[in-house]
Amino acid sequence: MTETSNYTVELFGKPLAAMTAMVREVNIAKGWRSADGSTTNSFGDYIALLHSELSEALEAYRDYRLADATAAYDRELERPAKPEGVGSEFADVLIRLLDTCDIYGIDLAAEFERKIAYNWTRAFQHGGRTLSEGVSA
Ligand SMILES: [Mg+2]
């Protein structure tokens, strides 16, 4: 018998679609995307931007570990301060991933569900290529 998840795309597909709509809306409003969906960036540009957010997460970890380093308020600009820290950078990764999938018409919820279903069919620590020194489970 194959193990499976109890979750289905119906559970997270709608929230993901809503989050994608939020990303699309702010990126169009702030000039990062055209309203007609066209882009001057290449696919490679979007991949590089995803990498850059992961690198920012590493730098945030080096500076603050997992602490939220966001200041309470930006008094100079009189607005909420820019979020800083690993959590904020991971949010940037998700924002860029949702944006990239939206631009290229990739149904991330469906791809996620398909990959999770496949992962359930794989052997425990398939391939044996772990990073840790000991068995974790
Ligand atoms: Mg960032």
Side-chain angles (χ1 to χ4, degrees):
M1 181 177 150
T2 303
E3 293 177 285
T4 61
S5 171
N6 293 320
Y7 300 98
T8 63
V9 72
E10 286 79 22
L11 266 174
F12 58 84
K14 288 178 183 172
L16 208 57
M19 293 164 73
T20 298
M22 293 170 69
V23 170
R24 184 186 313 122
E25 182 179 25
V26 72
N27 283 354
I28 290 171
K30 297 301 176 179
W32 300 115
R33 283 180 64 175
S34 62
D36 67 2
S38 65
T39 178
T40 57
N41 290 344
S42 70
F43 186 80
D45 291 335
Y46 286 102
I47 296 296
L49 289 168
L50 280 162
H51 278 290
S52 76
E53 296 301 345
L54 286 170
S55 295
E56 288 176 12
L58 178 60
E59 291 304 310
Y61 184 80
R62 292 174 73 195
D63 289 341
Y64 315 114
R65 293 298 190 240
L66 297 176
D68 181 358
T70 308
Y73 189 79
D74 189 328
R75 295 180 192 282
E76 187 176 320
L77 297 177
E78 296 183 345
R79 66 180 185 192
K82 178 185 177 189
E84 300 282 352
V86 169
S88 172
E89 299 307 336
F90 280 177
D92 283 344
V93 171
L94 180 59
I95 289 165
R96 290 209 181 273
L97 182 61
L98 292 173
D99 189 50
T100 302
C101 289
D102 190 38
I103 287 168
Y104 287 96
I106 295 168
D107 185 343
L108 188 58
E111 293 296 340
F112 177 89
E113 184 178 54
R114 181 167 67 161
K115 191 64 190 257
I116 289 293
Y118 176 73
N119 286 349
W120 276 106
T121 69
R122 303 189 91 173
F124 181 80
Q125 292 192 348
H126 61 88
R129 299 180 65 216
T130 63
L131 287 173
S132 64
E133 297 298 324
V135 176
S136 59

